[in-house]
Amino acid sequence: MSVVLEGTGLVKRFGPAVALGGVGLAVHTGEAVAIMGPSGSGKSTLLHCLAGIMKPDAGEVHLLGLRIDAMGERQRSALRRTRFGFVFQFGQLLPELPAEENVALPLMLGGVSRADAVRQAREWFGPLGLGGMEGRRPGELSGGQAQRVAIARALVTRPAVIFADEPTGALDQSTGHDTMRLLVEATKHNGASLVVVTHDHQVARWCDRVVEVRDGQIIPGRHGARPPAGHGAHPSAGHGAHPSAGHGAHPSAGHGAHPSSGHDPRHPVPGQGVTREPATQILPGVSG
Amino acid sequence: MTGLMALTWRLLRGGGRRGLLGAGLTVAAVAVSTALLLFAVSVNIAFQGRADREAWRNPVAATGKATAIETVRRDYVRDRQITVVDLAALEPGAAPPPGLARFPAPGEVWFSPALAELARELPADQLAGRFPRKTAGTVGDEALVHPGELVAVRGQRSDAPVMTAEPADGPRAGAGPMKISGFTGEATGDAEAYKALGLIASVLMVVPLLVFGGAAARLTVARRDQRLAALRLVGATPGQVVTMTVAEAVITAFGGAVIGAALYGLGIPLFTGIEIAGGPWFLSDMWPGVLAVLAVLLAVPLLVGLSAVVGLRRIVVSPLGVAKRETPPAMRFVRVVALLASLAMVPVLRGDSAIVIAVVVIGLPFLAINLAGPWVVGMLGRIVSRSARRPARLLAGRRLVDDPKAAWRTVSGVAMTGFVAGFIGLLSPGSGLLGDADAVDLRLSVPSSQVAEVTAGARERLSAAGVPATIEAGGTGATRVLTASLGKRDAGSVDRARTALDGLVPGRGATSAADEDRSSAQILEDIGTGTVTVLAVSFLVAIASAGITAASSILDRRQTYALLRLAGTPLEVLNGARRAETLIPLTVMGGGSILVGMFCAAPFAISAMNVAGVVTLLVCVALGFAGVIGAGAASAPLLRSVTANPAPRPD
Ligand SMILES: Nc1ncnc2c1ncn2[C@@H]1O[C@H](COP(=O)(O)OP(=O)(O)O)[C@@H](O)[C@H]1O
Ligand SMILES: [Mg+2]
């Protein structure tokens, strides 16, 4: 499978401290990569370098062959807005905006009219188990619901890569697992890649690959640092990443394409090729 | 209890650099408020001081045994007024007037320092010649309205012509010979007018200050919301939470108040330079006294603490109320009703209404604007967020709906100033009210029996002084008026003529039309000075409050801003939203307040709106917008810096 994002020889120092000491990482299309490691080991720094948030002191980052680490802040900012999606631990939703407007905001920033943006944003609520929450404000949502709104916001622009830095760090374990599962599956279902920082080994199991970071270095060989075996056949990659593409991936239009999966049609679930247990058992909020 | 205090102190110091910056903003806001509050208090004390020091020259007739005779007359030199007081003792050992070491003996003259200096500077035939006497001493500061005042006190025999002359008539002509039993006197009409104007000015300054100070207090609370809610969640009792926050707010405010008092002390020389009634102030005028300063130092932290309690109520009621942000209840319409009700009282006022009533009726709409403000802002927010097409507008509109009070805080200062500007803009009288200031024909009133004799004497004295003039007698009745048309009209010649004519008619001086208008012109000029002062103070408050609230709103929302920026939201959108969130309410509320101010001034309007008033207003509007936009723009680097940290950690 093709590489969508690749960092090579990434070095980042903060004063004398070396946060990243020459790290390379390639992310393939539709792949979910978990980054694990002790606190302070450089996971967030790696994520920030890959996402064009930080400029590495040395090394290069390429997105679909385009070198992004050398771009100016304005260009990188535009890139983050259009090609990447982000899910953080908490606090990323604007408290005064209703959930649907929080989701619509990235589209509006991209020039989509308000009516269209809100309409597109609403399509994500049902599939993510947020039906009826469109008008609620973040303060009126539970932690898990708020993270699902954040997931919708990250996906709504059809980005190539989703970055998530401890997205469930503020949730209790069971809600955290549900949310993480949804994040992985929704991302794949939309043909995007996922880079997620997590402390939870359970969570890491749902990803295609785990990368272990220690003291600013990637520890080779653990958990198999390779693209997943069946990757090329991954069905979600073949589906349009776009919800309105008319393919099964789409939360609103595509349910009918998966009659055999037996999933609750409201959920953006991966296609049949996925090797996990049935989504109905792990998706949160199924039929209430 | 001490443990609680120690914890409070740790909270205060442990807030990190941004937390300290936040506390610093509160300290700055309280300091500015305190300094200006002291100024507003001092203004009243200062005018009272002037009135007290002038009272001895406004005699009241003796009720018991008379000890002296006093007569007071206005004389003029160049374009300044001299107060000439003649005193005759009726018994030996009569108590001296204030400012004089002893009762002036016949043949003596005592000058105020400024008059003594002027008499030395000008040629003798222009000023000193009017007092051909022995200079016995200096009139002390305790008897002078201001350091530059021109006062001459002459000692007379009780049978001297000037002590028995008919009192002159006409406004501000002085006081005719009057038997007195002491120098208590009473405040002059002008002094009362100045006190009233001073009171209005301080109301106009204090209300925005209180609003600003209260807003500053809420800032501390808002910033601590999260942490306090967390404390509450871990089981601190409501009482403990209240004690800690209030203690924190009071400590911060006390620091600010002390700094503010010091600032005011440093500013005193600046304030004393503001010339009112023809002169600057004594340094002691602007010192409100230890008691007043202590009262302010106590009151400010108390008010801030009280304001903090009000701001805290929500947290204490429900620990989740703030930790989880919910849709705030809509503002009640009662707020607008309060404004309308207070406005309904205005037409009842008339120009001559009692000053206390006037102050109350003006002060109420002023305060009511502050009540109605958040409601209107919330309304605006709903309209803006419904109609917004671009993200910046949508963010601004939602923000206005979410926290109309916060948005109001940013613009309330300017809205209050708008009220002041509207009020004063309508109130400032035009210059057209006064006659031709060029009129230098000298006029002298004369008992009709002496017209011929005085005319001849005047002609002779004037030609001897080198200022030939044609003299005509006018008027009818017991008192006639001689008018001397001077051949030379330069200032020196006019003063030579005044000096030559001095003493020709006992108790009367020769005055021009311009001289007689001097007092009215002075009051108008002083209203102008007061206006500029009040507006300057209001603007300081407005811009300080806009800047401080803008900065603190960034600090409050730094995490969300930072994450939005990480996700690629352009800074311009965030800054655009902040700008819109200020400018929209500013336009509506600023304009509205100007109109309310004009409405409130209408009963007192001396004349229709004039050019100077319109210009003042336009300058105010321009300054207000520029100041608020500038203050908001000044915090853009702060936004950049709080969003620059790529790994925002919740703190
Ligand atoms: N903005 C920064 N300034 C200084 N040091 C930093 C900054 N960000 C991270 N670091 C340091 O770099 C190292 C790696 O940090 P980070 O990537 O955040 O670790 P992780 O996410 O794995 O916990 C740590 O030692 C941290 O203290
Ligand atoms: Mg981290």
Side-chain angles (χ1 to χ4, degrees):
Chain A
M1 195 58 227
S2 62
V3 170
V4 60
L5 181 73
E6 181 166 27
T8 46
L10 296 174
V11 175
K12 182 75 191 177
R13 295 184 199 91
F14 293 105
V18 179
L20 284 184
V23 172
L25 180 68
V27 180
H28 297 79
T29 307
E31 183 189 23
V33 180
I35 300 179
M36 298 194 70
S39 180
S41 56
K43 305 181 297 293
S44 298
T45 308
L46 174 58
L47 188 113
H48 291 150
C49 285
L50 290 174
I53 289 170
M54 263 178 196
K55 279 194 177 198
D57 296 328
E60 296 183 2
V61 180
H62 293 265
L63 172 74
L64 297 168
L66 187 70
R67 183 165 173 193
I68 64 169
D69 59 285
M71 290 178 174
E73 162 61 24
R74 190 170 291 271
Q75 271 176 296
R76 279 185 289 130
S77 174
L79 195 82
R80 295 200 296 270
R81 191 167 66 241
T82 53
R83 309 294 293 153
F84 296 152
F86 294 88
V87 183
F88 299 103
Q89 193 167 348
F90 65 83
Q92 59 210 306
L93 300 178
L94 277 166
E96 59 266 16
L97 253 53
E100 62 183 13
E101 285 175 10
N102 262 298
V103 176
L105 190 63
L107 291 172
M108 287 179 73
L109 287 171
V112 177
S113 79
R114 179 174 173 184
D116 280 350
V118 170
R119 193 179 42 70
Q120 289 184 43
R122 280 196 189 132
E123 293 175 359
W124 290 87
F125 278 74
L128 287 171
L130 289 168
M133 305 283 170
E134 292 85 349
R136 291 218 196 161
R137 301 182 346 145
E140 298 163 322
L141 298 172
S142 73
Q145 289 167 336
Q147 285 308 78
R148 276 181 273 159
V149 173
I151 291 170
R153 199 192 63 169
L155 283 166
V156 75
T157 53
R158 332 276 172 222
V161 185
I162 299 284
F163 294 95
D165 195 345
E166 301 184 32
T168 59
L171 304 177
D172 66 76
Q173 201 187 26
S174 121
T175 313
H177 284 177
D178 291 347
T179 306
M180 190 65 87
R181 190 74 187 266
L182 196 67
L183 171 64
V184 174
E185 297 184 344
T187 307
K188 291 199 163 188
H189 204 61
N190 284 278
S193 307
L194 173 68
V195 179
V196 55
V197 171
T198 178
H199 285 297
D200 191 334
H201 288 275
Q202 178 76 21
V203 165
R205 282 210 306 124
W206 298 319
C207 295
D208 300 309
R209 187 152 66 102
V210 174
V211 169
E212 184 91 19
V213 179
R214 282 275 154 84
D215 298 329
Q217 298 285 350
I218 288 184
I219 299 184
R222 295 191 52 188
H223 304 284
R226 50 161 184 85
H231 204 79
H234 200 296
S236 66
H239 288 306
H242 194 293
S244 57
H247 247 13
H250 179 12
S252 67
H255 327 307
H258 298 284
S260 59
S261 66
H263 299 146
D264 185 305
R266 289 181 298 132
H267 294 276
V269 294
Q272 292 147 336
V274 174
T275 55
R276 312 295 173 207
E277 56 268 56
T280 30
Q281 292 174 16
I282 51 168
L283 283 173
V286 172
S287 59
Chain B
M1 195 64 196
T2 44
L4 209 57
M5 280 303 163
L7 187 55
T8 307
W9 185 238
R10 282 232 308 283
L11 272 184
L12 192 59
R13 297 196 328 165
R17 219 154 47 87
R18 307 249 186 261
L20 272 186
L21 182 53
L25 288 176
T26 310
V27 168
V30 173
V32 170
S33 307
T34 307
L36 294 176
L37 185 64
L38 280 171
F39 176 59
V41 171
S42 301
V43 162
N44 293 289
I45 296 175
F47 276 114
Q48 182 63 49
R50 278 189 169 188
D52 292 345
R53 292 195 300 270
E54 193 189 20
W56 69 280
R57 292 180 246 146
N58 189 32
V60 287
T63 45
K65 182 171 174 291
T67 59
I69 308 177
E70 178 178 12
T71 179
V72 182
R73 167 170 87 76
R74 311 267 174 253
D75 197 0
Y76 299 89
V77 59
R78 293 297 192 269
D79 57 353
R80 296 170 71 183
Q81 179 180 286
I82 308 173
T83 304
V84 181
V85 183
D86 288 293
L87 294 175
L90 289 177
E91 57 181 26
L100 268 64
R102 58 182 167 75
F103 203 98
E108 283 179 0
V109 65
W110 301 57
F111 286 137
S112 67
L115 182 55
E117 195 184 326
L118 194 61
R120 272 195 305 275
E121 276 172 15
L122 292 180
D125 64 351
Q126 291 185 21
L127 178 58
R130 302 181 208 181
F131 307 100
R133 290 162 159 258
K134 175 169 165 278
T135 306
T138 305
V139 180
D141 290 350
E142 65 270 36
L144 298 178
V145 169
H146 59 78
E149 202 191 11
L150 306 179
V151 177
V153 183
R154 300 187 293 197
Q156 303 283 5
R157 264 176 231 295
S158 57
D159 56 355
V162 67
M163 302 316 279
T164 54
E166 283 286 301
D169 50 350
R172 299 193 183 88
M178 186 178 283
K179 290 192 170 162
I180 57 171
S181 52
F183 285 101
T184 309
E186 64 182 7
T188 62
D190 280 3
E192 294 291 358
Y194 276 113
K195 272 165 62 182
L197 291 175
L199 186 59
I200 292 180
S202 36
V203 170
L204 292 179
M205 291 188 291
V206 165
V207 176
L209 273 180
L210 291 183
V211 173
F212 175 41
R218 307 269 172 100
L219 284 185
T220 17
V221 178
R223 243 190 338 274
R224 305 288 156 170
D225 266 7
Q226 259 191 343
R227 186 171 304 165
L228 288 167
L231 279 174
R232 182 94 174 78
L233 283 171
V234 300
T237 67
Q240 285 170 324
V241 170
V242 169
T243 313
M244 276 163 55
T245 323
V246 173
E248 186 189 331
V250 170
I251 291 171
T252 318
F254 183 72
V258 170
I259 293 174
L263 267 184
Y264 177 71
L266 291 178
I268 285 182
L270 197 80
F271 294 129
T272 53
I274 300 170
E275 294 201 1
I276 295 280
W281 301 80
F282 292 110
L283 281 182
S284 56
D285 280 329
M286 290 293 164
W287 171 245
V290 178
L291 271 184
V293 172
L294 285 182
V296 167
L297 285 185
L298 269 181
V300 167
L302 266 180
L303 282 177
V304 169
L306 208 72
S307 195
V309 172
V310 174
L312 258 183
R313 239 181 9 203
R314 289 177 311 158
I315 308 182
V316 175
V317 170
S318 120
L320 290 176
V322 175
K324 293 187 59 175
R325 303 190 35 141
E326 278 153 22
T327 313
M331 279 314 152
R332 261 172 292 169
F333 187 67
V334 172
R335 291 164 173 272
V336 179
V337 173
L339 176 61
L340 294 179
S342 67
L343 284 183
M345 291 162 62
V346 172
V348 179
L349 283 183
R350 291 215 321 274
D352 53 1
S353 292
I355 189 72
V356 180
I357 299 177
V359 166
V360 168
V361 174
I362 297 163
L364 279 182
F366 203 29
L367 282 170
I369 287 181
N370 196 47
L371 267 184
W375 185 89
V376 178
V377 170
M379 200 64 203
L380 278 176
R382 265 181 281 280
I383 294 169
V384 170
S385 48
R386 213 166 288 148
S387 65
R389 304 189 170 279
R390 319 273 327 137
R393 283 239 152 185
L394 177 64
L395 292 182
R398 290 291 181 209
R399 186 84 203 280
L400 293 181
V401 178
D402 182 57
D403 198 349
K405 285 184 183 167
W408 169 246
R409 257 179 248 144
T410 317
V411 301
S412 62
V414 168
M416 296 282 151
T417 308
F419 177 90
V420 175
F423 190 87
I424 292 172
L426 195 59
L427 209 57
S428 12
S431 52
L433 285 180
L434 296 179
D436 181 8
D438 190 41
V440 291
D441 288 352
L442 290 180
R443 294 183 296 199
L444 185 61
S445 59
V446 186
S448 51
S449 57
Q450 300 169 20
V451 169
E453 182 193 336
V454 171
T455 307
R459 198 166 283 136
E460 189 185 317
R461 284 181 177 211
L462 286 173
S463 59
V467 198
T470 52
I471 296 176
E472 275 173 33
T476 50
T479 303
R480 310 278 297 275
V481 176
L482 297 188
T483 304
S485 286
L486 303 184
K488 299 177 184 168
R489 309 179 76 87
D490 61 292
S493 299
V494 173
D495 276 328
R496 227 172 291 136
R498 282 188 183 121
T499 307
L501 295 175
D502 193 75
L504 191 58
V505 181
R508 304 287 158 80
T511 55
S512 68
D515 292 338
E516 285 146 24
D517 280 343
R518 184 86 54 226
S519 292
S520 320
Q522 186 67 58
I523 286 204
L524 294 188
E525 193 185 316
D526 291 341
I527 291 179
T529 309
T531 306
V532 172
T533 308
V534 169
L535 288 182
V537 167
S538 310
F539 272 119
L540 227 97
V541 174
I543 290 167
S545 78
I548 286 172
T549 43
S552 79
S553 97
I554 292 176
L555 289 179
D556 286 349
R557 300 153 54 80
R558 58 184 175 276
Q559 197 189 6
T560 305
Y561 279 145
L563 294 178
L564 279 174
R565 186 159 172 217
L566 289 200
T569 310
L571 270 185
E572 299 90 85
V573 172
L574 298 180
N575 273 322
R578 292 196 315 129
R579 218 172 16 250
E581 152 191 335
T582 307
L583 278 186
I584 293 167
L586 183 66
T587 311
V588 175
M589 295 310 297
S593 305
I594 290 174
L595 291 180
V596 172
M598 289 170 68
F599 181 73
C600 289
F604 308 95
I606 300 174
S607 60
M609 191 82 179
N610 57 65
V611 177
V614 172
V615 169
T616 312
L617 256 182
L618 289 180
V619 168
C620 285
V621 170
L623 276 179
F625 270 78
V628 171
I629 294 171
S635 54
L638 178 64
L639 176 64
R640 184 177 293 277
S641 101
V642 300
T643 57
N645 181 0
R649 289 153 220 270
D651 62 356

